[in-house]
Amino acid sequence: MDKEMNIDNDILIALVEARPVLWDKTLDIFEGTKAAREAWSQTCCELNKVFKEMESKGKNESRTFA
């Protein structure tokens, strides 16, 4: 990415808290990487409204900021 993303930490925390698959190890689905990838994708889309339209390389770079 050419420039750093400015992410509001409070928003990021709220988005992750809303998706227990990302943090709750007691869930059976926690082990499913597909579910976690989807949850991160949803989180990234909410943080960066153009995330769905980005090329794969840009998506991977965006995920490193989350």
Side-chain angles (χ1 to χ4, degrees), residues 3-63:
K3 54 185 171 179
E4 248 183 67
M5 289 178 58
N6 292 320
I7 296 175
D8 183 317
N9 290 337
D10 293 330
I11 293 173
L12 176 60
I13 291 167
L15 292 171
V16 171
E17 284 179 342
R19 294 168 175 84
V21 70
L22 297 176
W23 55 268
D24 189 349
K25 293 181 180 183
T26 65
L27 297 176
D28 290 335
I29 196 169
F30 182 81
E31 297 297 323
T33 57
K34 183 177 179 182
R37 275 196 309 267
E38 179 60 29
W40 277 119
S41 182
Q42 291 169 355
T43 301
C44 289
C45 285
E46 290 190 44
L47 288 172
N48 183 352
K49 300 301 180 193
V50 297
F51 182 78
K52 281 186 180 180
E53 300 163 8
M54 296 172 74
E55 294 179 19
S56 293
K57 181 181 179 196
K59 286 182 181 182
N60 287 336
E61 290 174 355
S62 290
R63 287 184 185 118

